[in-house]
Amino acid sequence: MSSLPILSIIIFLPLVGVALLSLINSTTANGERNLKQTALWVVCLNFIVSIAMLINFDQSDPNFQFTESYFWLNSGISYHLGVDGISILLIILTTFLMPFCILASFESIKVSLKEYLIAFLILETLMIGVFCSLDLVLFYLFFEGGLIPMFLIIGIWGGERRVYATFKFFLFTLAGSVFMLLAIIAIYMETGTTNITYLLQFDLAPSLQYIFWLAFFASFAVKIPMWPVHTWLPDAHVEAPTAGSVILAGVLLKMAGYGFIRFSLGIFPIASSYFAPFIFTLSIIAIIYASLVALVQTDMKKLIAYSSVAHMGFVTLGIFTFTLQGIEGAIIQMLSHGIISAALFLCVGVVYDRIHTREIDRYGGLVNRMPLYAFAFMIFIMGSIGLPGTSGFVGEFLVLLSIFSVNTYFAVFATSGVVLAAAYSLWLYRKVIFGSLIKDDLQDILDLSYREIIILFPLAFLTIFFGFYPQPLIDIIEPSTIQLITNIANDVAIAEPASYEPVIKMESEY
């Protein structure tokens, strides 16, 4: 395994699938079926390869593993890959969700199926590349490259206002990333390298850190997204096809959270400490504002989209506490949200494929006709609320624990977001699932098919499993997180390194 370029295989295997799909004649009798099966087998194979990588991953080693480095550009920029405990689980999340995206598209996509599947496979390559990159230029290429296939997925296969939504999504994210590109160029001019492993050890002057931090923040804040640059997300979700919403909420938002941890904390620790109160303020506003807006939504997708803005507020809160619980809680929250939000959008897609509307008032009493659907939907709603026993609770609890140790006032406001989440989530569930079945077009609605059961119930199992037993995730995340905190403590006078010791012990016992 160590001699294999395992990361390159995981990154570029979907492109092999693109080549295979391009050779299939979609106009023949079995063409559509062959396209679907080929795409599904490729993404499943990639998931299996990523699991093999996880099995061979040394959980006790906090450093980058499976590294690959090849000369690329004459300026010293290299094709440099590697993963640690922070990034490997996000790669697994990406490869895990892709088969569900392909399965969810089997019945709903009727036009240009080959091009649709090719766009998803290219998107998988670019998303995995983000989490593997150990060179700033390579990271930027993968990070921004993902805009193109998602732009096409929403713009071609989206809803009625897809052109408006996709251009808003593209312009918002691209505008923010321009500043990051300028910062990368400036970093290269200052240090003579774009190698991330070197930059993590390089002591940039505080004045430069502030500027570079703001430039990277402009990109990550839009992508995650933070208030007030979040407005593209609800529009993109509403117009995107179901699988597009799944991958947008499940993975694309996590790329910015990963960027905050890897770059903002890792390379600009002094600036991160200085701007932490600013991040806390924006995060609290996002949690409360997005939750209140979610309470008045009439579209199921838009409600879930605003809930994503609130949940990502917990992620940014946890990251900038500079504590072990906070950063681990943020990573677990990203993984949990990737599973739960993806499942919620899939649940919306199930009823949308039957009734062709997402209006909440058009439903009601579905438990009478769709008990399996009602059960699965309940698990994901409870996970979104953060009910104990679900994976959503673990991340939120660790984040709230960490923010209480940093600032009690911020913690009180953040906790109010949990109450508001319960309000809008339970209201959605009651309106859709409970009540009398009085709508005529709901009288003959069918429960989950075998394909939909295969999609939803693995996600439900993981939501419950990691809610009761998150230790496997913590074991992988913890060594790299401890190393990150230690580096920050050495560079920034936030606290003496010894003050982190009780936090580390407490988390290990947990």
Side-chain angles (χ1 to χ4, degrees), residues 23 41 77 80 99 136 184 253 361 410 425 428 436 494 505:
L23 298 175
W41 278 110
I77 299 170
H80 193 189
L136 283 177
I184 291 173
L253 302 188
D361 288 339
F410 283 127
S425 298
L428 171 65
S436 301
I494 302 173
K505 286 184 177 179

Side-chain angles (χ1 to χ4, degrees), residues 233-305:
L233 183 66
D235 291 324
H237 271 309
V238 167
E239 301 305 325
T242 297
S245 291
V246 168
I247 214 66
L248 178 59
V251 181
L252 287 178
L253 302 188
K254 313 307 179 291
M255 289 159 50
Y258 170 76
F260 275 129
I261 297 172
R262 180 68 73 216
F263 303 110
S264 299
L265 265 62
I267 302 179
F268 318 124
I270 296 173
S272 294
S273 174
Y274 179 80
F275 287 110
F278 172 65
I279 292 291
F280 291 159
T281 303
L282 293 185
S283 300
I284 293 298
I285 294 173
I287 291 170
I288 297 176
Y289 170 80
S291 298
L292 291 174
V293 174
L295 278 168
V296 298
Q297 294 306 310
T298 59
D299 184 292
M300 284 192 283
K301 262 195 171 184
K302 189 165 282 191
L303 186 151
I304 299 169

Side-chain angles (χ1 to χ4, degrees), residues 169 261 490:
F169 159 69
I261 297 172
N490 292 334

Side-chain angles (χ1 to χ4, degrees), residues 404-423:
F404 261 108
S405 69
V406 173
N407 189 299
T408 306
Y409 295 106
F410 283 127
V412 171
F413 286 116
T415 305
S416 68
V418 178
V419 179
L420 292 171

Side-chain angles (χ1 to χ4, degrees), residues 311 314 332-333 336-337 340 344 375-398 400 415 417-426 429 460-470 510:
H311 284 111
F314 283 100
I332 293 175
Q333 176 76 344
S336 172
H337 180 266
I340 293 171
L344 286 172
F375 175 71
F377 196 21
M378 177 193 69
I379 292 176
F380 303 128
I381 287 291
M382 294 301 106
S384 180
I385 293 171
L387 188 75
T390 65
S391 59
F393 170 77
V394 179
E396 286 189 2
F397 175 76
L398 291 175
L400 289 174
T415 305
V418 178
V419 179
L420 292 171
Y424 63 71
S425 298
L426 293 176
Y429 191 78
F461 170 78
L462 290 180
T463 301
I464 299 297
F465 177 81
F466 288 124
F468 282 98
Y469 189 56
Y510 174 83

Side-chain angles (χ1 to χ4, degrees), residues 20-301:
L20 294 175
L21 289 176
S22 64
L23 298 175
I24 297 175
N25 186 354
S26 58
T27 61
T28 62
N30 295 324
E32 185 174 304
R33 185 187 66 182
N34 293 337
L35 287 171
K36 294 174 182 177
Q37 290 182 351
T38 300
L40 182 60
W41 278 110
V42 169
V43 294
C44 287
L45 178 61
N46 211 29
F47 174 62
I48 293 171
V49 175
S50 66
I51 291 296
M53 175 185 66
L54 180 63
I55 292 172
N56 286 273
F57 181 79
D58 184 359
Q59 297 183 9
S60 63
D61 186 359
N63 299 306
F64 292 105
Q65 302 178 40
F66 309 112
T67 55
E68 303 173 33
S69 184
Y70 305 102
F71 180 79
W72 183 24
L73 298 179
N74 195 33
S75 56
I77 299 170
S78 63
Y79 173 81
H80 193 189
L81 306 177
V83 293
D84 63 356
I86 296 172
S87 58
I88 190 169
L89 291 178
L90 293 169
I91 295 172
I92 299 297
L93 176 67
T94 305
T95 59
F96 174 71
L97 289 179
M98 283 302 298
F100 299 117
C101 292
I102 302 299
L103 280 172
S105 307
F106 271 22
E107 303 297 332
S108 58
I109 302 300
K110 305 296 183 182
V111 178
S112 302
L113 178 64
K114 178 191 288 190
E115 291 77 8
Y116 175 86
L117 296 174
I118 286 175
F120 263 95
L121 292 178
I122 294 174
L123 181 59
E124 182 179 17
T125 284
L126 296 170
M127 291 187 299
I128 296 172
V130 167
F131 302 125
C132 295
S133 297
L134 291 182
D135 185 277
L136 283 177
V137 174
L138 191 64
F139 171 84
Y140 182 82
L141 292 175
F142 282 125
F143 190 81
E144 287 306 297
L147 282 176
I148 300 172
M150 183 53 72
F151 177 88
L152 296 174
I153 289 168
I154 300 174
I156 298 176
W157 295 278
E160 293 181 0
R161 298 177 71 244
R162 60 186 180 272
V163 174
Y164 166 78
T166 196
F167 272 93
K168 188 175 183 180
F169 159 69
F170 189 89
L171 292 175
F172 261 70
T173 52
L174 183 63
S177 296
V178 167
F179 295 100
M180 183 169 70
L181 177 61
L182 294 174
I184 291 173
I185 296 172
I187 289 172
Y188 176 76
M189 298 297 292
E190 177 68 21
T191 65
T193 184
T194 54
N195 188 312
I196 293 173
T197 55
Y198 176 78
L199 293 172
L200 289 172
Q201 307 299 324
F202 190 89
D203 293 328
L204 284 168
S207 57
L208 291 176
Q209 285 197 31
Y210 297 143
I211 298 172
F212 295 154
W213 188 96
L214 288 171
F216 276 74
F217 171 78
S219 178
F220 298 149
V222 172
K223 200 87 164 188
I224 203 164
M226 298 182 71
W227 181 91
V229 289
H230 66 283
T231 57
W232 64 268
L233 183 66
D235 291 324
H237 271 309
V238 167
E239 301 305 325
T242 297
S245 291
V246 168
I247 214 66
L248 178 59
V251 181
L252 287 178
L253 302 188
K254 313 307 179 291
M255 289 159 50
Y258 170 76
F260 275 129
I261 297 172
R262 180 68 73 216
F263 303 110
S264 299
L265 265 62
I267 302 179
F268 318 124
I270 296 173
S272 294
S273 174
Y274 179 80
F275 287 110
F278 172 65
I279 292 291
F280 291 159
T281 303
L282 293 185
S283 300
I284 293 298
I285 294 173
I287 291 170
I288 297 176
Y289 170 80
S291 298
L292 291 174
V293 174
L295 278 168
V296 298
Q297 294 306 310
T298 59
D299 184 292
M300 284 192 283
K301 262 195 171 184

Side-chain angles (χ1 to χ4, degrees), residues 324 478 482 486 500-509:
L324 190 66
E478 191 166 273
I482 291 174
T486 302
Y500 287 91
E501 188 175 351
V503 178
I504 294 171
K505 286 184 177 179
M506 184 190 308
E507 180 61 21
S508 299
E509 291 168 3

